[in-house]
Amino acid sequence: MNVRIAGTGSALPGKILTNTELEQLVDTSDEWITTRTGIKERRIAVEGEYTSTFAAEAGRRAMEMAGVHPEEIDLIILGTVTPDFPFPSTACIVQDLLGATNATAFDLSAACSGFIFGLSIAEKYIRSGAARKILVIGAEVLSRIVDWQDRNTCVLFGDGAGAVVLEASDGDHSLLSTHTFSNGSYWNLLYQPGSGSRNPATNSRTIDERLIYLKMEGNDVFKHAVRSMEEAAVKALDANGLSASDLTLMIPHQANRRIIDATAKRLGLGADRLFTNLEKYGNTSSASIPIALDEANRQGLLKPDNKLLVVAFGGGFTYGSALINW
Ligand code: UT7
C-alpha cells in the first residue's frame, strides 16, 4: 500500500510584526535580524486565537483540496510545543472543531521536527492498514512562550499552522520514505524550563526567574542543525538510490537562512531548488514545513513525478526527513 499527499493547507494570523517594530521592544535592528537570519517579519496570534484555531483552519483547507469530508478522517496527528492546554490534546480540540467524529486524535511532541515525525507515524498507520485517511498538522503559537525581553530569541519565532491529508493509494505519486532521529544528549540547548513537572507554573520561582519562556543556546543549535539536516537528507537520498541532483525541490525547516544555505551547500543543492518563506513568517517550529509545502503546492511549483525532499531539525534534539514523489 502506498501513501500519497492528497491535499495541503495552511493558516496564519493576520497580525504582522516587522523587524522595525521589534526595534521598539528590544535592543536589535532590522539589519542584524535580516543579515543573521533572513527574517523580515513574522505573524502573531491576537487575543482569541489559539494553536487549535490555526490548526483547524489549515486542516480544513487541506481536506478541501483533497476532497475529503471530516468524517472520513481516521486519525489526526498534531505536532506542537504550544498546545492550547497541557491536556487534553489540541488534536482532540481540532477534531471537535472540524467535526472529524470518526478520528483518533493525539498530539506529538518533537518540536520543529513534529510535522516530519507525524508524517512518519501516519505513513506506518496507512502501510499497516490501520488507517486510510490521516490529517497531519504542525501548529504553533510560539509568541506565547517567547520571552519578549530576550533579543536572542524573540526576533526568531512566529505563529501559524500547516497540514496535509495523507491517504492510502495504489499509485506511484507517493511518500517514498521517512526517517526520524533523536539525540537526547542535548535536550537542554533548546527548551522551555517552566510549566512542566520540574518547574510547575504554580511555583512562584517559575514566574520570577522567567522559566516559563523558551530558552536557546543559538550558536550551538546552529551547528547541530546544519550537520543533522545534512545527515537526514543523505539518509533519505541513499534509501531511495537518489542523489541531490535528482531533487526538484527541497523544503527545509525555516529557522535561519544561513542554516538553510549551509545545509544546501553541503548537499550540493543550488538556491534555485530551495523553497524558503522564513522572511515572511520566521521560525514557526512544527508548522514551518507544512506551511512552506502548502505555499509551494499552491504556487504550482510541484509537478507530477517531481522529487521533493523535506528536512527538519529541532529541540530534543530531533531531526528527520521525508522524500516524496509528487
Ligand atoms: O528551530 C529549531 C532550531 N533553531 C535554530 O535552528 C536556531 C539556531 N540558531 C540561530 O539561528 C543563530 O544562532 C541565531 C540567529 C540565534 C544567532 O546568530 P549567531 O550568528 O549564532 O549569533 P550569536 O549567538 O553568536 O551572537 C552574536 C552577537 C551576540 O553579541 P556579542 O556577545 O557578540 O556581543 C549577541 O548578543 O549578536 C548578539 N545578538 C543580537 N544583536 C542584535 C543576539 N541577538 C541579537 C539581536 N539583535 N536580536
Side-chain angles (χ1 to χ4, degrees), residues 22 26-29 32-33 36-37 39 111-113 150-157 190 216-223 225-226 229 253-259 283-286 288 313-315 317:
L22 273 170
V26 285
D27 180 16
T28 192
S29 65
W32 190 96
I33 303 170
R36 294 300 191 121
T37 72
I39 299 163
C112 305
S113 310
D150 177 13
R151 70 174 184 173
N152 290 291
T153 52
C154 76
V155 303
L156 304 173
F157 297 99
L190 175 51
M216 178 169 71
E217 298 298 331
N219 213 270
D220 286 338
V221 173
F222 188 111
K223 290 173 202 150
V226 174
M229 293 217 290
H253 171 48
Q254 310 281 308
N256 185 319
R257 180 78 221 193
R258 291 185 298 134
I259 293 177
N283 180 349
T284 57
S285 190
S286 67
S288 94
F313 174 85
F317 290 141

Side-chain angles (χ1 to χ4, degrees), residues 297-317:
N297 189 21
R298 287 176 196 265
Q299 287 170 23
L301 300 181
L302 296 163
K303 308 269 186 286
D305 286 327
N306 280 179
K307 302 286 182 293
L308 167 71
L309 177 65
V310 295
V311 55
F313 174 85
F317 290 141

